[in-house]
Amino acid sequence: MSDPLDLLHALPGAALITQDGAIQYANAAAVALLEVESAECLIGRQSGEFVHLVDQIRSTQRIQQVADPDQEGRPNKPSEFRICTAKGHLRMVLISSVAVEWHGKHAVLMCGLDMTHQSEIQAQLRESEQNFRRLFENMQDVYYRTDANGVVQHVGPGVRRVLGYEPHEIEGRTAESYYPQSKDRDAFKAAIQQTGEVSDFPGQMVRRDGSVIDISISSHALYDHAGNFAGVEGIYRDVTQRKNLERELHRLATTDMLTGMANRRAFLEAATQVYEKARADGAPFALLMLDLDHFKTINDELGHLEGDRALAEFAHVVKAQLRATDVAGRLGGEEFCVLLPLTAHDQAVEIATRIMHGVACTPLTNETGRTYRITVSVGVGTISPHDRSLRDVLDRADQALYLAKNRGRNQIAIAPVDGSPT
């Protein structure tokens, strides 16, 4: 009786036996098809190395299906796949596979027939490959694929333009390595797991030079034949210019251009959010209402341009006295308000005092060389258990401001949570 391996070796069609994807046996036809010098050159290599990128996922899924114990002994239907030989030639091969036993262990026998013998088909394949490669090389988006653990399995050449890395420097590393903030990657993973796909999903990545860029991701989840999550495939693109434009438009829409402070609408929106959170958490909260003293005199005597310069300088002094969490806004004209999150009464008065003294001690000089000074009156308001809304705190701070004005200006008045200002 003939040795089965002799029969396999004599087959006119290519035959490979693999275990866990690694080639354990190759007949003479497979050696010729893959254009290697001998069967020994194939032993230990992954069969997927020779499958074209376009067909890799489909090929892997078919091998997983045939390796399923429920499919044992039943070959899958022949299907055409693109392969790249060891010499870089593209061929179309009709492949079928079946689960077998090899040296006492589960294995997969793959049989293939070269279907590219006709010159017309081969020319079409070459043209298709050239078009695909040209598109793939020049696309502005970055194609990528990861496994279930987030390790990058493949990334397109567009990554050179977007991140400044060569593809081989990205492959084998986790996608998380290029996120400046883990929360961005966590949000992406949660969205993929929930819906199976995302479109124009926002995020950021770090380029090779250390700069952070904005990206837009459109991807879908990959699943194996058993329905288990197997990774993610998709594209991402650099949208930094678009995001910078959006940020600039937002800044213009929310900023008072003369002082650089938040405008009235933006300030009241921010103050409302902080107030609501403070009330829900039982946390302290304070507001300072500020109004420049005798500002009309500056406009009348020195002109409106000098008045604008005085407002800008005043804003600079105020912001210099604030913490990173504080927000200053221009409500209109020479009236301003400062939002002080997590700030109790005594600390709010201390900040108001620093602002008042800072403004009074800052000399201003107009275009003619005349030196003058400005002062500010301040009303302090803090949150009360009886407040119905932010408006109540604003009203108390405003009442305190008018008291400071009536008392002679350049001073601070405090609005208690109950009763009259002091």
Side-chain angles (χ1 to χ4, degrees):
M1 183 176 179
S2 301
D3 187 331
L5 289 183
D6 290 338
L7 295 177
L8 284 177
H9 199 69
L11 281 176
L16 294 176
I17 295 178
T18 67
Q19 287 179 326
D20 296 326
I23 299 172
Q24 305 297 324
Y25 168 83
N27 69 355
V31 170
L33 176 66
L34 298 178
E35 295 189 316
V36 294
E37 294 183 0
S38 65
E40 287 72 21
C41 296
L42 294 173
I43 304 304
R45 295 178 66 174
Q46 294 289 315
S47 60
E49 291 181 26
F50 298 97
V51 180
H52 190 278
L53 174 64
V54 171
D55 293 329
Q56 280 186 359
I57 294 177
R58 187 163 60 95
S59 172
T60 300
Q61 290 175 341
R62 283 173 61 86
I63 292 174
Q64 289 175 339
Q65 289 172 355
V66 80
D68 192 306
D70 295 338
Q71 300 294 320
E72 185 173 356
R74 288 187 290 179
N76 51 28
K77 294 181 179 179
S79 183
E80 291 185 343
F81 293 89
R82 300 170 181 85
I83 68 168
C84 296
T85 71
K87 294 183 178 180
H89 296 141
L90 185 68
R91 291 180 175 174
M92 183 66 79
V93 180
L94 186 67
I95 299 177
S96 183
S97 53
V98 64
V100 298
E101 188 175 290
W102 175 261
H103 297 311
K105 296 182 179 180
H106 291 295
V108 174
L109 170 63
M110 291 184 284
C111 299
L113 293 176
D114 187 356
M115 305 296 291
T116 53
H117 59 281
Q118 297 181 21
S119 59
E120 181 180 350
I121 296 177
Q122 196 168 22
Q124 291 174 351
L125 281 172
R126 280 198 302 268
E127 182 180 0
S128 175
E129 168 63 11
Q130 290 170 356
N131 291 338
F132 169 79
R133 184 55 54 186
R134 183 168 57 252
L135 173 65
F136 198 59
E137 290 283 346
N138 295 317
M139 66 187 296
Q140 296 300 308
D141 297 339
V142 180
Y143 166 83
Y144 77 99
R145 185 175 69 247
T146 71
D147 64 13
N149 297 317
V151 177
V152 179
Q153 301 296 297
H154 188 76
V155 66
V159 76
R160 297 188 186 104
R161 290 184 293 273
V162 175
L163 295 183
Y165 289 96
E166 290 296 320
H168 72 269
E169 296 178 293
I170 300 284
E171 294 168 351
R173 298 185 63 184
T174 61
E176 293 180 4
S177 305
Y178 304 95
Y179 279 77
Q181 301 181 74
S182 58
K183 66 178 184 180
D184 285 351
R185 179 64 182 177
D186 293 341
F188 170 75
K189 287 162 59 175
I192 279 286
Q193 290 171 359
Q194 181 177 1
T195 64
E197 62 180 4
V198 296
S199 178
D200 199 21
F201 194 86
Q204 290 185 319
M205 281 190 173
V206 181
R207 284 179 48 84
R208 186 179 198 135
D209 60 11
S211 60
V212 176
I213 62 170
D214 294 287
I215 60 169
S216 168
I217 312 171
S218 296
S219 305
H220 62 270
L222 301 174
Y223 302 92
D224 61 21
H225 68 284
N228 299 314
F229 177 70
V232 176
E233 179 183 53
I235 59 173
Y236 58 85
R237 62 181 58 175
D238 183 353
V239 293
T240 305
Q241 287 186 337
R242 187 185 84 189
K243 288 296 183 181
N244 284 342
L245 178 58
E246 290 175 359
R247 283 189 281 264
E248 179 61 14
L249 291 174
H250 179 266
R251 186 187 71 82
L252 293 173
T254 59
T255 303
D256 175 65
M257 301 311 296
L258 176 62
T259 63
M261 292 179 171
N263 61 24
R264 182 184 184 88
R265 179 177 63 83
F267 177 83
L268 292 177
E269 287 179 358
T272 299
Q273 291 178 1
V274 174
Y275 168 81
E276 294 293 346
K277 188 175 189 309
R279 188 166 68 169
D281 297 343
F285 170 88
L287 286 173
L288 305 181
M289 196 71 76
L290 303 92
D291 190 271
L292 268 66
D293 299 328
H294 305 296
F295 184 71
K296 184 176 183 299
T297 302
I298 297 176
N299 280 333
D300 292 343
E301 295 184 1
L302 302 178
H304 288 281
L305 288 179
E306 186 61 27
D308 287 348
R309 201 176 73 82
L311 287 174
E313 185 61 30
F314 164 78
H316 176 75
V317 173
V318 171
K319 287 186 285 188
Q321 301 298 330
L322 301 181
R323 303 160 299 184
T325 55
D326 301 333
V327 179
R330 184 183 182 189
L331 301 187
E334 65 271 25
E335 188 176 43
F336 299 82
C337 195
V338 174
L339 167 64
L340 303 174
L342 301 175
T343 303
H345 171 274
D346 291 345
Q347 193 175 12
V349 173
E350 179 185 337
I351 295 172
T353 302
R354 290 205 311 265
I355 291 174
M356 187 181 68
H357 289 165
V359 171
C361 293
T362 301
L364 300 175
T365 305
N366 70 357
E367 292 181 348
T368 65
R370 174 184 171 183
T371 299
Y372 65 99
R373 294 179 186 272
I374 57 175
T375 60
V376 63
S377 298
V378 186
V380 180
T382 55
I383 196 169
S384 164
H386 307 296
D387 289 336
R388 293 163 298 178
S389 68
L390 173 69
R391 174 52 57 187
D392 293 334
V393 187
L394 285 168
D395 287 344
R396 286 198 300 276
D398 202 41
Q399 291 170 15
L401 172 62
Y402 277 104
L403 179 61
K405 288 281 190 181
N406 292 333
R407 284 177 175 174
R409 297 179 172 83
N410 192 26
Q411 57 184 278
I412 298 168
I414 302 164
V417 294
D418 296 301
S420 301
T422 59

